[in-house]
Amino acid sequence: MYTVKQVATLTGVTEPTLRAWERRYGVVEPARSSGGYRLYDETQVALLREMAALVSNGVPASHAAAALRSRPAAAEQGPPTQPSGDSLVEAAEALDPVKLHRVIDQAFGSAPFEQVAEHWLPEQLLRIGEAWEHGRLDVSQEHFASASLMGAIAGVFSAAPEPNPASSVLVGLPPGARHDLMLFAFAACLKRTGTAVVYLGTDVPEGSWLAAASEARPRAAVLGVTAPEEVPRAQAIIDGLKGVTPPLSVWVGGSQRHAVTGAEQLPDEVARAAALLHRSLLAGRN
């Protein structure tokens, strides 16, 4: 739950305006703490972000609120429709860009990105990996699918509201690590919480991590570690970041996260991991 001050930061809408929207238009009905303070959940924050985007594009506040209120509740909409199990693999196998983009667009439009990133995306990566292992897909077909998925995630990342860069988070991989699709999905989820994300990407040398930390002065850094051979290089980066001034918190995710020390561990579910880190930053942890 978020206070009105936190929601103002996350949405870019002033506290008086948030209260006015609630009073005049009934856009959201926040809960109240025992002391009478407003408390907003993540669904309400997302709705207020949409309201802010509509108003900033010239839609009168009353019209924007009416459009948002007229939406059917999630329970009335019925379950989202996602592409059938092997649709992505079949499109990759055929090297059919039209079919591949249709499958990805359908999946990304079926539910909020956080749900897609935690459920549909990992399942499809597993299917692609199994198809490659069994010889159904070759390297070109696997890269074809992965590149399209990265492009779709990039669209989500770019569309997220631009937060205040003063409290940024570095996200990337250690040297030699090149598989960053789920890490990029995590970065998109994190940016959608209102966190400023500096995405460094794959194969980032230790010196570049330290230079980025010195230049960006981030609140936190997140490394993905997914293979045993990446552990020593990731550990060197974590140890180096511990000496950065001003201090920052260091977090690690991926299947080998338990093999490194000196960093907070993130869960496998990317949206849950992003929410955990976001709450930590709001709480003032470094």
Side-chain angles (χ1 to χ4, degrees):
M1 303 294 285
Y2 302 93
T3 65
V4 67
K5 183 176 182 179
Q6 291 169 335
V7 173
T9 300
L10 293 172
T11 61
V13 180
T14 65
E15 295 179 38
T17 299
L18 289 171
R19 295 188 182 99
W21 285 356
E22 176 192 344
R23 184 176 63 254
R24 295 176 187 171
Y25 311 122
V27 181
V28 297
E29 295 183 12
R32 296 279 180 164
S33 70
S34 57
Y37 295 103
R38 289 172 172 82
L39 294 174
Y40 301 78
D41 62 27
E42 293 185 359
T43 300
Q44 291 171 328
V45 173
L47 197 64
L48 288 167
R49 278 204 190 104
E50 291 190 62
M51 175 85 170
L54 290 171
V55 171
S56 68
N57 286 324
V59 178
S62 59
H63 294 181
L68 294 174
R69 286 198 310 268
S70 67
R71 288 183 179 177
E76 299 171 0
Q77 293 176 356
T81 302
Q82 290 187 341
S84 58
D86 266 353
S87 297
L88 190 73
V89 171
E90 291 168 358
E93 187 177 21
L95 290 175
D96 186 335
V98 174
K99 183 176 181 181
L100 185 67
H101 291 142
R102 186 184 302 125
V103 171
I104 294 173
D105 288 347
Q106 182 183 350
F108 276 52
S110 67
F113 176 71
E114 288 75 11
Q115 293 182 28
V116 175
E118 288 208 344
H119 302 291
W120 183 82
L121 194 55
E123 177 189 342
Q124 295 308 309
L125 293 180
L126 180 61
R127 288 176 181 271
I128 288 172
E130 291 175 344
W132 179 80
E133 287 180 4
H134 297 145
R136 183 178 175 184
L137 297 180
D138 65 14
V139 173
S140 65
Q141 293 163 321
E142 186 272 333
H143 286 184
F144 170 61
S146 297
S148 294
L149 287 169
M150 286 293 287
I153 297 169
V156 174
F157 185 90
S158 298
E162 289 297 333
N164 185 345
S167 299
S168 61
V169 176
L170 303 181
V171 179
L173 292 175
R178 301 184 183 278
H179 298 289
D180 69 330
L181 202 150
M182 288 306 299
L183 184 72
F184 196 24
F186 161 80
C189 290
L190 184 60
K191 190 179 178 191
R192 281 164 60 88
T193 68
T195 303
V197 178
V198 179
Y199 191 68
L200 304 181
T202 65
D203 193 22
V204 183
E206 179 185 350
S208 296
W209 273 99
L210 299 181
S214 176
E215 179 69 24
R217 302 172 70 86
R219 291 275 306 282
V222 178
L223 285 87
V225 188
T226 59
E229 61 271 18
E230 299 168 9
V231 171
R233 298 187 287 269
Q235 187 65 64
I237 293 169
I238 292 168
D239 294 342
L241 290 174
K242 287 296 184 180
V244 169
T245 303
L248 71 161
S249 61
V250 183
W251 301 71
V252 63
S255 59
Q256 296 297 311
R257 62 185 181 275
H258 303 291
V260 298
T261 60
E264 301 276 356
Q265 295 183 4
L266 291 168
D268 287 330
E269 299 85 353
V270 292
R272 189 158 69 92
L276 173 63
L277 177 53
H278 175 60
R279 288 194 299 269
S280 173
L281 294 175
L282 284 179
R285 288 182 59 192
N286 259 350

